[in-house]
Structure formats: structure tokens, C-alpha cells
Amino acid sequence: MNAPAPEIAELITELEEQERRLTLPRFTHDDAWALGTLLVELAREREAPVAVDIRRGGQQLFHAALPGSTPDNDAWIDRKRRVVERYGCSSLLVGSRFRAKGTTFEESSRLDPDTYAAHGGAFPIAVTDAGVIGTVVVSGLPQVEDHKMVIEALEKFLSA
């Protein structure tokens, strides 16, 4: 097998570093509200037609659909969230790892693409000494932009 292209290898390194750096000390219902409203504020500032979803375990703690979003965004949220729950890392990282192997998630994961989508925008909520306990997802922009919005919000949330 050939080595992954340098840009894919670099992206994977960056995504793995984000996950290490964005581990939270705790994550409560109030934290979900604060992170969710922060994401909504970022989306409103940009007039981004997104839906936002935050879950801990099997419980939805926050959901918002902004103007311009559609029910399709909720379907994408579910598909991307399932990837994070299955693999324990961001949906963009999962898709990138498949591309680094010269394939795609859809071709090689053996998972139903109507149920799972390794497209950017879903990120694990990891808590120190507890591991991945939930997900934060944005859907409505191109996948890298969905991912970047989540990262920006988590960085602001952690610095508050």
C-alpha cells in the first residue's frame, strides 16, 4: 500500500491533535446549553443555515435548527453522529483515515451509508478520565466548514 498523500497525513495529524487538545474537564447539562448557544451565536453571526445537535450518551441535550436549514440537516446529523459513536473520533477524521488508505468510508467501512456518514461536522465530547461521553454536531455547510465551526466553538467554550 502506498503512503498517504502528505496533505492527508497532515490533516489527520491536525485532527488527532484537536481531539487531544479539546478534551473537557467535565460536561453537564448546563455545559451543553452553553456550548449549543455558542454554536448558534456563531452561526447567526455568519447567517449560516445550519442545525446543531449535542448529545451525552443516548440523550439529546441541545438541538437548534437555524433559518435555511432543512430536515436533511437532521438526517446528516444522525449519520455523522453515529460515526463518532462507533469510532470514538470525529467524523472528518474517520473519513480522512479511509482516504489515507486510498479508499472511501462508503466503499470500505461495510456500514450502511444511509445510517453512517464520515463527513465533517461531528466531534466527540471527551471528558478527562471518562473518555468520549457524547457528541457535538453541525450540519448545513460544506463538511470542512461544519467541522471548523465545531472546533471554533469548543475552543471558545474551553477558554471561557
Side-chain angles (χ1 to χ4, degrees):
M1 180 170 72
N2 295 333
E7 55 276 356
I8 280 278
E10 190 176 301
L11 175 62
I12 289 170
T13 299
E14 178 185 346
L15 296 172
E16 290 171 342
E17 186 278 327
Q18 287 172 348
E19 291 185 16
R20 281 190 296 277
R21 182 171 46 84
L22 297 173
T23 297
L24 306 174
R26 68 182 192 305
F27 196 73
T28 66
H29 286 76
D30 289 338
D31 293 327
W33 179 261
L35 178 59
T37 54
L38 180 57
L39 277 161
V40 168
E41 288 169 11
L42 290 173
R44 285 190 191 279
E45 287 170 7
R46 297 165 192 174
E47 298 180 1
V50 299
V52 175
D53 188 84
I54 299 175
R55 291 175 188 249
R56 187 177 64 198
Q59 185 178 23
Q60 184 178 51
L61 300 181
F62 185 94
H63 188 88
L66 279 71
S69 65
T70 70
D72 284 344
N73 297 119
D74 291 331
W76 275 99
I77 282 171
D78 288 340
R79 293 169 59 218
K80 294 190 283 189
R81 173 185 49 80
R82 286 186 193 105
V83 166
V84 174
E85 291 170 350
R86 183 170 187 114
Y87 289 87
C89 56
S90 78
S91 53
L92 186 58
L93 178 55
V94 171
S96 298
R97 286 177 173 161
F98 276 90
R99 285 189 296 282
K101 294 176 185 174
T103 186
T104 66
F105 178 81
E106 294 78 11
E107 291 171 350
S108 298
S109 71
R110 299 178 50 113
L111 296 172
D112 182 353
D114 289 335
T115 305
Y116 295 89
H119 293 257
F123 198 84
I125 296 172
V127 173
T128 304
D129 297 327
V132 176
I133 57 104
T135 57
V136 53
V137 189
V138 170
S139 177
L141 302 171
Q143 65 170 328
V144 172
E145 297 306 310
D146 281 346
H147 179 85
K148 286 180 179 179
M149 186 176 285
V150 171
I151 298 307
E152 182 180 348
L154 282 167
E155 289 171 342
K156 287 184 178 190
F157 178 78
L158 273 169
S159 68

